[in-house]
Amino acid sequence: MATPRILRMSSLFLRTLRDDPADAEVPSHRLLVRAGYIRRAAPGIYSYLPLGYRVLRKVENVIREEMDAIGAQEVHFPALLPREPYDATNRWTEYGENLFRVKDRKGGDYLLGPTHEEMFTLLVKDLYSSYKDLPLSLYQIQTKYRDEARPRAGLLRGREFVMKDSYSFDIDQAGLQASYDAHRAAYIRIFDRLGLSYVIVRAMSGAMGGSASEEFLASADVGEDTYVRCTTCDYAANVEAVRVPVPAPVPYDDAPAAHAEDTPDTPTIDTLVDFLNAKHPRDEGRAWTAADTLKNVIVMLVHPDGRREPLAIGLPGDRDVDEQRLGAQVEPAEVEAFTDKDFEKHPELAKGYLGPGVLGEDGASKIRFLLDPRVVEGTRWVTGADEPGRHVLDLVAGRDFGSDGTIEAAEVRPGDTCPECSADGRDGTLVAARGIEIGHIFQLGKKYAEALDLKVLDENGKLVTVTMGSYGVGPSRAVAAIAENTYDELGLAWPREVSPVDVHVVATGKDSAVFDAAAALADELSALGVEVLLDDRPKVSPGVKFKDAELIGVPTIVVVGKGLAEGVVEIKDRVSGVREEVPVAEAAERVAGVVRG
Ligand code: ATP
Ligand code: MG
């Protein structure tokens, strides 16, 4: 067993801070900076100090061990990449503003890799040519660059960050499924070992292309992803990926003809519903609600090539457009507001009184019009009449208006019907929670292999296109997610597997005997293979040392102090706070036992 080096706080490159950094919005960021794990170098760009780098490497090693265990082979690609492969897949353009593009001295185009599908595909193409070479899984743990629109929360969303990315190469779908399943199982082991509480949810494949995909989300209120779970079945999905159950068409033979009515001063759904109940009460024994209205929202899509395209979305008036869901649907385009200036260019649009009449590629505005899947044939709506102060009643979908398609952009709400078990007659409903995406696994299929012409000879000597998977974990984001999952009011509280060291030995008092005993204990522990952080700072008060130990968050703290006179030291559990006094002579063995579990 190797003898770990003892980290001595008297010389360790570390300064803990009393105050929270001004720019820290979430606990993990605040605590990682205060406890001396990371320092900001620029927005979304961080340096790791000794303690932080140890945690990062421990996380990486857990990932490495589990990737190796499924037979994936570690490689390492450059971060500085040529443009051409990314042109071949169109990602040089599609990645939009998130891509860091750089020029060399000769004017050649390069990029800082945001993810490496292209490079792995080309490397395999370079070296392999037969089905006998497959299956193959390669991975790397490497620095990635993305010029995120909103870098935030320290390591959670950086512009430079670490990613473990792996790629699988198979001859057919059955092979891909097996590679995907192996990765999925490895991810479960990784996140279990990292001590994270997480859920696996269905996901959108986004800019990657491809089909089946799942995300691993660490449960955290500060997470940027919202997911839903069913209360009855095991359905769980990122809200981006939720498919609304499509209702059956409604018969409308006896529906009255649509009629436009004056509805003065009703530019919002609430004012409209109030007006309808006052002036046009329903005769079916219930009042009008927002769900009876069809709300038409216009946004501006900005495509990666800079083209701006208005998009209209029709949805039941009791729901808002969900930015995250819409964003995922229109990717790689970005969504901006449709401004008053934009309205000026479209005099046919009556703001606040928009109706399907002028929308759609066949309408006067020529603006693409997509409907929420709930707006099925035969449903009856109140909606704008395209004139200020007027609405149309009894407008029947499929009879009076159509669309250019459907879009899943309406918000998903707790209590909504589960799309999975509603299909077989059960009536589960959805509940929502927030999480941090820590891993994402995709079945890419042939998109990249086709674009870059990765083919191998099959058993019959025929050339076939390879099918691929891509699998990512963010070790740097995982460090913050673990902190987020485990911190308490005193500071960080690491799970053993990723703690920067195994034990924090604190020497308190002025007596040199205390320092000598603490140093001797540290040596003994080190000889037993235990990693030690030794607080041997002279002239620092016990109070400061205890506070620092709690802030730094090593799971086991040993105090060598007052008790030494009676021949005992104190072993304290950082999380439970439980203390135990043990004779000095037995301390090392006891601590080693605790550390090994
Ligand atoms: P997000 O939706 O949070 O932007 P993503 O879908 O872009 O994530 P992937 O492209 O699937 O993420 O990247 C794989 C993994 O890399 C993610 O699961 C996450 O753990 C990590 N990751 C992605 N972007 C960042 C970032 N900006 N900072 C830190 N880690 C990141
Ligand atoms: Mg992203």
Side-chain angles (χ1 to χ4, degrees):
M1 188 183 342
T3 307
R5 195 162 57 89
I6 298 165
L7 301 186
R8 292 186 164 76
M9 283 185 67
S10 55
S11 56
L12 185 64
F13 188 54
L14 168 77
R15 282 287 174 276
T16 56
L17 310 177
R18 292 288 147 243
D19 297 316
D20 290 335
D23 62 337
E25 314 142 58
V26 304
S28 59
H29 183 195
R30 183 162 56 76
L31 291 168
L32 287 169
V33 173
R34 273 191 53 204
Y37 284 70
I38 58 170
R39 291 296 288 173
R40 195 182 86 132
I45 305 179
Y46 287 83
S47 309
Y48 293 84
L49 304 183
L51 294 181
Y53 197 47
R54 290 176 76 96
V55 175
L56 178 66
R57 278 181 299 166
K58 290 202 174 179
V59 170
E60 291 176 358
N61 276 332
V62 168
I63 297 170
R64 189 171 273 123
E65 284 171 18
E66 297 300 341
M67 295 313 298
D68 291 346
I70 60 165
Q73 301 174 56
E74 186 167 8
V75 295
H76 199 79
F77 278 73
L80 182 62
L81 303 174
R83 168 176 175 162
E84 292 68 28
Y86 286 77
D87 264 339
T89 58
N90 207 28
R91 286 212 290 186
W92 175 264
T93 316
E94 269 187 11
Y95 236 101
E97 295 193 313
N98 264 19
L99 193 65
F100 276 106
R101 299 173 178 83
V102 292
K103 278 202 188 297
D104 72 3
R105 61 172 74 205
K106 297 191 186 120
D109 282 319
Y110 289 80
L111 62 122
L112 297 177
T115 169
H116 279 66
E117 280 75 9
E118 285 82 351
M119 303 309 292
F120 277 77
T121 308
L122 287 174
L123 188 65
V124 174
K125 177 180 168 180
D126 207 6
L127 296 175
Y128 275 8
S129 55
S130 161
Y131 74 97
K132 289 183 200 146
D133 298 325
L134 305 181
L136 171 71
S137 282
L138 299 174
Y139 78 98
Q140 65 174 344
I141 295 177
Q142 198 245 15
T143 306
K144 298 280 192 271
Y145 297 86
R146 294 180 185 178
D147 194 0
E148 299 276 358
R150 281 175 292 277
R152 75 181 270 278
L155 300 181
L156 280 181
R157 183 172 296 284
R159 296 195 299 160
E160 174 179 303
F161 59 96
V162 184
M163 196 196 291
K164 184 289 297 175
D165 45 330
S166 29
Y167 305 86
S168 64
F169 301 85
D170 283 280
I171 192 84
D172 54 21
Q173 177 58 32
L176 170 56
Q177 187 65 47
S179 298
Y180 182 90
D181 292 344
H183 272 88
R184 191 179 194 276
Y187 276 33
I188 290 172
R189 285 190 294 271
I190 289 168
F191 297 125
D192 285 348
R193 283 180 63 185
L194 295 181
L196 283 160
S197 71
Y198 64 95
V199 289
I200 306 175
V201 303
R202 299 178 198 204
M204 292 276 294
S205 342
M208 297 293 184
S211 50
S213 127
E214 289 169 292
E215 282 170 353
F216 291 71
L217 302 181
S219 341
D221 295 340
V222 303
E224 289 183 84
D225 283 281
T226 305
Y227 67 93
V228 291
R229 263 185 317 103
C230 177
T231 49
T232 308
C233 70
D234 58 10
Y235 177 81
N238 192 308
V239 283
E240 295 173 6
V242 173
R243 295 266 154 282
V244 170
V246 179
V250 183
Y252 54 90
D253 292 344
D254 58 353
H259 47 109
E261 302 290 345
D262 282 333
T263 56
D265 298 325
T266 56
T268 65
I269 299 289
D270 285 348
T271 51
L272 174 62
V273 169
D274 289 347
F275 181 89
L276 291 173
N277 281 322
K279 296 282 156 50
H280 297 273
R282 296 174 61 95
D283 46 18
E284 294 146 48
R286 72 165 176 92
W288 292 102
T289 70
D292 298 312
T293 69
L294 180 71
K295 172 155 84 179
N296 302 294
V297 177
I298 308 190
V299 295
M300 186 66 84
L301 301 185
V302 184
H303 293 280
D305 59 8
R307 194 165 49 89
R308 298 173 76 82
E309 181 206 359
L311 173 69
I313 298 159
L315 70 166
D318 62 332
R319 290 188 192 254
D320 287 325
V321 169
D322 179 302
E323 266 176 52
Q324 197 184 333
R325 274 165 65 71
L326 174 60
Q329 295 298 325
V330 301
E331 227 186 19
E334 299 212 355
V335 179
E336 286 185 9
F338 192 82
T339 62
D340 286 345
K341 263 218 160 69
D342 296 319
F343 269 106
E344 278 168 27
K345 287 182 214 146
H346 287 275
E348 73 283 4
L349 300 177
K351 195 178 171 188
Y353 300 89
L354 280 176
V358 295
L359 300 173
E361 280 159 1
D362 301 334
S365 69
K366 305 267 179 278
I367 294 176
R368 189 150 64 103
F369 181 47
L370 301 177
L371 284 171
D372 183 81
R374 296 172 187 83
V375 188
V376 290
E377 184 175 350
T379 48
R380 249 192 262 180
W381 303 94
V382 179
T383 192
D386 300 310
E387 288 175 67
R390 280 172 72 78
H391 279 90
V392 190
L393 279 69
D394 294 312
L395 197 75
V396 175
R399 181 188 75 178
D400 303 323
F401 70 101
S403 72
D404 302 312
T406 57
I407 186 166
E408 291 277 2
E411 63 184 321
V412 177
R413 284 197 306 235
D416 279 355
T417 307
C418 169
E420 187 81 354
C421 61
S422 68
D424 53 23
R426 282 177 293 166
D427 53 358
T429 54
L430 302 178
V431 290
R434 293 183 80 81
I436 299 165
E437 182 194 319
I438 42 174
H440 197 168
I441 53 179
F442 292 90
Q443 296 193 14
L444 289 174
K446 302 191 171 177
K447 174 175 165 171
Y448 291 87
E450 254 154 26
L452 298 164
D453 199 30
L454 169 59
K455 293 195 170 99
V456 294
L457 291 172
D458 72 6
E459 276 169 276
N460 308 314
K462 223 178 78 208
L463 272 178
V464 292
T465 304
V466 169
T467 185
M468 292 170 54
S470 131
Y471 317 88
V473 177
S476 52
R477 180 180 285 184
V479 169
I482 296 166
E484 207 61 61
N485 262 191
T486 52
Y487 81 93
D488 62 19
E489 69 286 355
L490 302 173
L492 297 164
W494 297 109
R496 285 207 181 281
E497 182 103 49
V498 301
S499 176
V501 293
D502 298 318
V503 56
H504 189 153
V505 176
V506 181
T508 64
K510 295 194 180 89
D511 207 349
S512 69
V514 161
F515 286 84
D516 293 345
L521 176 59
D523 285 337
E524 265 186 90
L525 285 166
S526 174
L528 291 169
V530 175
E531 300 167 343
V532 182
L533 174 62
L534 173 63
D535 196 346
D536 57 347
R537 290 175 295 176
K539 298 191 187 116
V540 173
S541 77
V544 168
K545 288 185 175 180
F546 293 147
K547 275 219 156 57
D548 276 348
E550 279 156 350
L551 179 62
I552 288 168
V554 174
T556 302
I557 300 168
V558 178
V559 182
V560 183
K562 279 201 240 87
L564 197 62
E566 283 92 56
V568 295
V569 299
E570 183 184 276
I571 303 176
K572 183 174 151 188
D573 185 276
R574 166 65 184 81
V575 175
S576 66
V578 171
R579 300 151 193 265
E580 176 193 15
E581 289 196 334
V582 297
V584 186
E586 292 166 27
E589 279 297 343
R590 281 292 275 282
V591 171
V594 170
V595 166
R596 291 186 196 119

